Amino acid sequence: MGWRQTADGRTVVEHDWSTDARSGRAIQEVLAQHVDTTCRLPDSIRRIAGVDIGFEDDGATTRAAIVVMDPADLSVQDSVLVREPTRMPYVPGLLSFREIPAALVALDRLSTLPDLLMVDGHGIAHPRRLGVATHLGLACGLPTIGVAKKRLTGQYDAVPDTRLAWTPLTHRSETIGAVLRSRVRVKPIFISPGHRIDLGTAIDWTTRTLTRYRLPETTRAADRLASDRDRRRAAAARN
């Protein structure tokens, strides 16, 4: 495992992605010490992106979708969908080792890198503080936010049934995220810093990208691209 400086000044970690569970946990313990939860966003955010990663072929293929948007109006500026062989079997708590290699390939295929990644998954709201959003941030050197549909770890009080209300998500006396009510009478979502961002900024950007749906437009668009939902709906409408 080592660190590398990219041509555009990003500091990224490099390590073996095809590893066993014990080695993976050891890598997580080391990487967790390098997570930065202070805001490192540029003064001007010109591009934000949603990232969705899933699996096909009974897990043999990893699918990564990235949709880049203009933060002013959430219009799509770029998108990419890649499929890569899955390098590691599923191990609880080590999902990022399965998911991130394909996401890095997708990032490399974008015409321009975004300033901020919003990832469908957890950031530091992870037992070892290294969910997929955090791990991806360390691997690509970009600020990341975790936007998850379900809790992985931690405790929280009931969230008021008011849009944009939230309560802290805590674990071992540490605040690791926020449980946010994105829609009234709809289950909340779980927001956590990934890397190079703080919780307040993570909440702010999540609320900025919410429309009338439960999920922010960034990760919702990436999920839609990954599932090819729009094409299938159009085909169904023609039949």
Side-chain angles (χ1 to χ4, degrees):
M1 182 170 61
W3 299 88
R4 176 175 62 86
Q5 197 83 7
T6 66
D8 58 1
R10 290 174 289 126
T11 301
V12 302
V13 67
E14 295 180 326
H15 60 75
D16 184 11
W17 294 101
S18 304
T19 186
D20 58 73
R22 178 180 293 182
S23 299
R25 294 188 188 100
I27 290 171
Q28 286 182 329
E29 296 289 349
V30 173
L31 292 183
Q33 301 175 32
H34 296 274
V35 177
D36 186 353
T37 54
T38 57
C39 187
R40 305 291 184 182
L41 289 176
D43 293 336
S44 176
I45 304 297
R46 296 171 295 170
R47 292 172 294 272
I48 57 175
V51 181
D52 183 89
I53 310 163
F55 300 92
E56 301 174 356
D57 308 324
D58 294 324
T61 301
T62 308
R63 179 192 64 241
I66 302 179
V67 178
V68 182
M69 294 181 165
D70 183 334
D73 58 8
L74 301 181
S75 59
V76 175
Q77 298 182 325
D78 195 5
S79 64
V80 64
L81 175 65
V82 303
R83 290 175 171 86
E84 290 285 310
T86 302
R87 302 192 188 185
M88 183 175 173
Y90 171 71
V91 179
L94 298 177
L95 187 60
S96 61
F97 285 86
R98 282 168 61 83
E99 295 188 339
I100 290 176
L104 293 175
V105 173
L107 280 170
D108 283 342
R109 294 186 185 175
L110 291 172
S111 58
T112 306
L113 283 178
D115 301 304
L116 171 64
L117 299 176
M118 299 179 67
V119 184
D120 184 356
H122 291 281
I124 65 168
H126 178 278
R128 287 178 290 279
R129 305 297 182 263
L130 210 82
V132 61
T134 301
H135 202 160
L136 179 58
L138 288 161
C140 71
L142 296 171
T144 56
I145 298 171
V147 182
K149 305 177 191 71
K150 297 180 180 179
R151 178 184 68 91
L152 178 61
T153 193
Q155 301 80 39
Y156 62 96
D157 293 332
V159 184
D161 196 20
T162 303
R163 188 176 185 272
L164 304 187
W166 65 275
T167 59
L169 178 68
T170 61
H171 183 236
R172 297 173 185 162
S173 302
E174 178 185 356
T175 298
I176 57 174
V179 188
L180 174 71
R181 183 80 66 185
S182 55
R183 288 190 64 189
V184 175
R185 295 186 294 277
V186 172
K187 290 181 180 179
I189 55 178
F190 296 80
I191 312 302
S192 56
H195 180 52
R196 297 172 61 84
I197 203 159
D198 61 275
L199 179 58
T201 307
I203 295 171
D204 179 47
W205 274 103
T206 301
T207 58
R208 287 194 203 190
T209 53
L210 286 171
T211 57
R212 60 189 180 91
Y213 301 99
R214 180 190 181 204
L215 297 176
E217 279 300 297
T218 45
T219 55
R220 200 176 79 87
D223 172 73
R224 194 164 61 241
L225 173 63
S227 61
D228 204 15
R229 195 172 298 130
D230 286 346
R231 183 192 62 79
R232 289 189 284 110
R233 284 177 177 170
R238 289 194 297 269
N239 295 332

XYZ file of all heavy atoms in Angstrom, residues 8 10 47 49 51 61-68 77-85 87 100-114 117 136 140 142 225:
328
model
N -2.709 16.265 -11.564
C -3.503 17.447 -11.215
C -3.484 17.752 -9.716
O -4.264 18.561 -9.227
C -4.948 17.305 -11.709
C -5.644 16.074 -11.150
O -5.008 15.336 -10.363
O -6.813 15.847 -11.500
N -3.899 15.670 -6.955
C -4.639 14.866 -5.986
C -3.715 13.829 -5.337
O -2.829 13.286 -5.986
C -5.809 14.142 -6.665
C -6.937 15.047 -7.104
C -7.989 14.287 -7.908
N -7.480 13.910 -9.218
C -7.476 12.665 -9.701
N -7.933 11.659 -8.965
N -7.009 12.419 -10.912
N -19.001 21.184 -10.845
C -19.514 19.879 -11.231
C -19.666 18.999 -9.996
O -18.730 18.871 -9.202
C -18.556 19.192 -12.223
C -18.468 19.859 -13.585
C -17.363 19.247 -14.431
N -16.052 19.523 -13.850
C -15.338 20.614 -14.105
N -15.807 21.531 -14.941
N -14.157 20.803 -13.548
N -21.251 15.006 -8.833
C -21.560 13.732 -9.488
C -22.178 12.758 -8.509
O -21.846 12.731 -7.320
C -20.295 13.123 -10.090
N -22.704 8.668 -7.766
C -22.034 7.392 -8.041
C -22.903 6.270 -7.507
O -23.327 6.287 -6.343
C -20.645 7.326 -7.370
C -19.962 6.001 -7.694
C -19.780 8.511 -7.779
N -19.828 -9.683 -11.985
C -19.562 -8.420 -12.672
C -19.959 -7.253 -11.779
O -21.060 -7.244 -11.213
C -20.348 -8.340 -13.995
O -19.980 -9.431 -14.826
C -20.081 -7.025 -14.712
N -19.071 -6.291 -11.653
C -19.368 -5.059 -10.922
C -19.760 -3.987 -11.923
O -19.087 -3.781 -12.927
C -18.144 -4.577 -10.120
O -17.658 -5.634 -9.315
C -18.523 -3.409 -9.208
N -20.854 -3.295 -11.623
C -21.374 -2.231 -12.499
C -21.255 -0.897 -11.772
O -21.722 -0.760 -10.649
C -22.842 -2.521 -12.825
C -23.517 -1.502 -13.710
C -25.029 -1.730 -13.718
N -25.600 -1.524 -12.396
C -26.240 -2.452 -11.702
N -26.384 -3.671 -12.181
N -26.732 -2.188 -10.499
N -20.620 0.080 -12.403
C -20.442 1.401 -11.800
C -20.983 2.467 -12.736
O -20.614 2.513 -13.909
C -18.978 1.670 -11.487
N -21.848 3.321 -12.205
C -22.426 4.419 -12.980
C -22.088 5.734 -12.297
O -22.178 5.852 -11.071
C -23.941 4.272 -13.077
N -21.681 6.718 -13.101
C -21.420 8.063 -12.599
C -22.158 9.056 -13.492
O -22.061 8.981 -14.719
C -19.919 8.391 -12.573
C -19.163 7.375 -11.718
C -19.680 9.813 -12.056
C -17.659 7.616 -11.659
N -22.891 9.963 -12.871
C -23.587 11.025 -13.599
C -23.108 12.358 -13.049
O -23.216 12.610 -11.841
C -25.116 10.910 -13.457
C -25.804 12.067 -14.178
C -25.610 9.574 -14.014
N -22.565 13.193 -13.916
C -22.039 14.502 -13.526
C -23.089 15.562 -13.836
O -23.674 15.573 -14.925
C -20.730 14.816 -14.276
C -20.166 16.165 -13.825
C -19.711 13.702 -14.053
N -24.225 16.864 -17.258
C -23.107 17.308 -18.079
C -22.322 16.148 -18.683
O -21.716 16.292 -19.743
C -22.154 18.173 -17.241
C -22.777 19.447 -16.704
C -21.776 20.281 -15.917
O -20.913 19.737 -15.237
N -21.888 21.585 -16.007
N -22.325 15.018 -18.005
C -21.545 13.873 -18.476
C -22.065 12.645 -17.728
O -22.659 12.763 -16.641
C -20.062 14.083 -18.188
C -19.160 13.118 -18.950
O -19.685 12.347 -19.776
O -17.932 13.140 -18.720
N -21.847 11.486 -18.297
C -22.218 10.244 -17.617
C -21.414 9.099 -18.202
O -20.976 9.152 -19.355
C -23.719 9.960 -17.746
O -24.086 9.734 -19.100
N -21.226 8.074 -17.397
C -20.496 6.896 -17.860
C -20.990 5.687 -17.080
O -21.338 5.785 -15.897
C -18.967 7.079 -17.695
C -18.588 7.198 -16.232
C -18.206 5.938 -18.342
N -21.045 4.553 -17.753
C -21.438 3.292 -17.138
C -20.418 2.241 -17.551
O -20.154 2.060 -18.746
C -22.837 2.876 -17.610
C -23.350 1.508 -17.156
C -23.535 1.478 -15.647
C -24.661 1.174 -17.862
N -19.802 1.579 -16.580
C -18.806 0.544 -16.891
C -19.155 -0.746 -16.169
O -19.814 -0.747 -15.128
C -17.376 0.987 -16.508
C -16.992 2.279 -17.188
C -17.222 1.105 -15.000
N -18.681 -1.832 -16.739
C -18.809 -3.146 -16.115
C -17.425 -3.777 -16.071
O -16.731 -3.833 -17.086
C -19.787 -4.013 -16.902
C -21.236 -3.550 -16.777
C -22.162 -4.356 -17.671
N -23.563 -4.059 -17.403
C -24.233 -3.049 -17.969
N -23.619 -2.242 -18.824
N -25.491 -2.848 -17.674
N -17.040 -4.238 -14.880
C -15.726 -4.812 -14.672
C -15.854 -6.129 -13.913
O -16.783 -6.301 -13.118
C -14.858 -3.857 -13.836
C -14.447 -2.585 -14.549
C -13.357 -2.830 -15.568
O -12.350 -3.467 -15.224
O -13.533 -2.394 -16.725
N -14.931 -7.066 -14.127
C -14.955 -8.301 -13.331
C -14.804 -7.983 -11.844
O -13.977 -7.157 -11.454
C -13.740 -9.079 -13.852
C -13.480 -8.518 -15.209
C -13.868 -7.071 -15.141
N -13.532 -8.369 -8.221
C -12.223 -8.874 -7.787
C -12.242 -9.592 -6.443
O -11.300 -10.310 -6.105
C -11.228 -7.721 -7.699
C -11.045 -6.966 -9.003
C -9.847 -6.042 -8.912
N -9.747 -5.166 -10.058
C -8.741 -4.340 -10.264
N -7.752 -4.288 -9.392
N -8.712 -3.556 -11.333
N -15.158 -0.519 -5.508
C -14.394 0.652 -5.940
C -13.580 0.458 -7.214
O -13.473 1.405 -8.012
C -13.513 1.158 -4.777
C -14.412 1.774 -3.700
C -12.490 2.190 -5.259
C -13.684 2.215 -2.462
N -12.989 -0.715 -7.491
C -12.230 -0.820 -8.743
C -13.030 -0.399 -9.974
O -12.508 0.308 -10.846
C -11.843 -2.303 -8.776
C -11.707 -2.677 -7.337
C -12.824 -1.928 -6.653
N -14.285 -0.797 -10.074
C -15.105 -0.389 -11.217
C -15.394 1.106 -11.181
O -15.426 1.772 -12.233
C -16.414 -1.173 -11.238
N -15.591 1.669 -9.993
C -15.839 3.110 -9.887
C -14.628 3.913 -10.349
O -14.775 4.964 -10.982
C -16.200 3.475 -8.444
N -13.428 3.429 -10.063
C -12.221 4.129 -10.510
C -12.094 4.088 -12.032
O -11.670 5.066 -12.652
C -10.991 3.510 -9.853
C -10.877 3.700 -8.329
C -9.676 2.944 -7.783
C -10.793 5.181 -7.964
N -12.466 2.969 -12.634
C -12.465 2.895 -14.098
C -13.456 3.904 -14.666
O -13.163 4.616 -15.638
C -12.805 1.469 -14.564
C -12.984 1.426 -16.084
C -11.724 0.485 -14.136
N -14.641 3.988 -14.057
C -15.654 4.939 -14.527
C -15.158 6.374 -14.401
O -15.350 7.193 -15.307
C -16.948 4.746 -13.740
N -14.511 6.705 -13.304
C -13.969 8.051 -13.138
C -12.957 8.380 -14.224
O -12.932 9.496 -14.759
C -13.321 8.200 -11.755
C -14.246 8.462 -10.569
C -13.477 8.332 -9.259
C -14.885 9.849 -10.669
N -12.124 7.424 -14.559
C -11.104 7.644 -15.594
C -11.728 7.912 -16.967
O -11.091 8.528 -17.828
C -10.173 6.437 -15.690
C -9.159 6.392 -14.562
O -8.948 7.434 -13.915
O -8.593 5.306 -14.317
N -12.947 7.462 -17.171
C -13.587 7.617 -18.484
C -14.426 8.890 -18.603
O -14.962 9.171 -19.678
C -14.447 6.387 -18.782
C -13.604 5.135 -18.949
C -14.411 3.938 -19.379
N -13.569 2.733 -19.421
C -14.036 1.517 -19.673
N -15.322 1.333 -19.916
N -13.200 0.481 -19.688
N -14.545 9.653 -17.524
C -15.241 10.932 -17.608
C -14.392 11.935 -18.382
O -13.159 11.902 -18.330
C -15.512 11.490 -16.210
C -16.545 10.748 -15.351
C -16.547 11.328 -13.935
C -17.952 10.845 -15.959
N -15.049 12.835 -19.079
C -14.306 13.853 -19.817
C -13.623 14.841 -18.880
O -12.529 15.324 -19.164
C -15.238 14.592 -20.778
O -16.316 15.185 -20.070
N -14.267 15.149 -17.764
C -13.696 16.045 -16.753
C -14.098 15.543 -15.378
O -15.257 15.164 -15.169
C -14.217 17.486 -16.928
O -13.978 17.918 -18.267
C -13.509 18.435 -15.962
N -13.167 15.551 -14.436
C -13.481 15.086 -13.089
C -14.405 16.072 -12.386
O -14.241 17.295 -12.514
C -12.205 14.919 -12.272
C -11.350 13.691 -12.546
C -10.101 13.729 -11.686
C -12.137 12.408 -12.295
N -15.364 15.580 -11.599
C -16.221 16.474 -10.804
C -15.469 17.021 -9.599
O -14.404 16.521 -9.216
C -17.371 15.567 -10.386
C -16.802 14.195 -10.404
C -15.760 14.173 -11.489
N -18.128 14.151 -5.207
C -18.823 12.897 -5.486
C -19.826 12.597 -4.380
O -19.469 12.633 -3.199
C -17.827 11.732 -5.580
C -16.752 11.776 -6.656
C -15.826 10.569 -6.497
C -17.365 11.793 -8.038
N -13.543 5.346 -1.465
C -13.428 5.906 -2.808
C -12.753 7.269 -2.772
O -11.922 7.590 -3.638
C -14.807 6.012 -3.455
C -14.852 6.603 -4.872
C -13.995 5.796 -5.834
C -16.292 6.684 -5.364
N -9.412 8.127 -4.936
C -9.413 9.051 -6.078
C -8.985 10.460 -5.709
O -8.758 11.290 -6.593
C -10.788 9.078 -6.751
S -12.086 9.896 -5.793
N -10.745 12.827 -4.304
C -11.799 13.832 -4.440
C -12.666 13.868 -3.183
O -12.800 12.854 -2.490
C -12.684 13.510 -5.649
C -12.017 13.565 -7.021
C -12.968 13.016 -8.082
C -11.599 14.990 -7.359
N -29.228 5.361 -14.362
C -28.323 4.961 -15.436
C -27.871 3.522 -15.251
O -27.852 2.730 -16.205
C -27.107 5.894 -15.465
C -25.982 5.511 -16.428
C -26.473 5.540 -17.868
C -24.784 6.448 -16.245
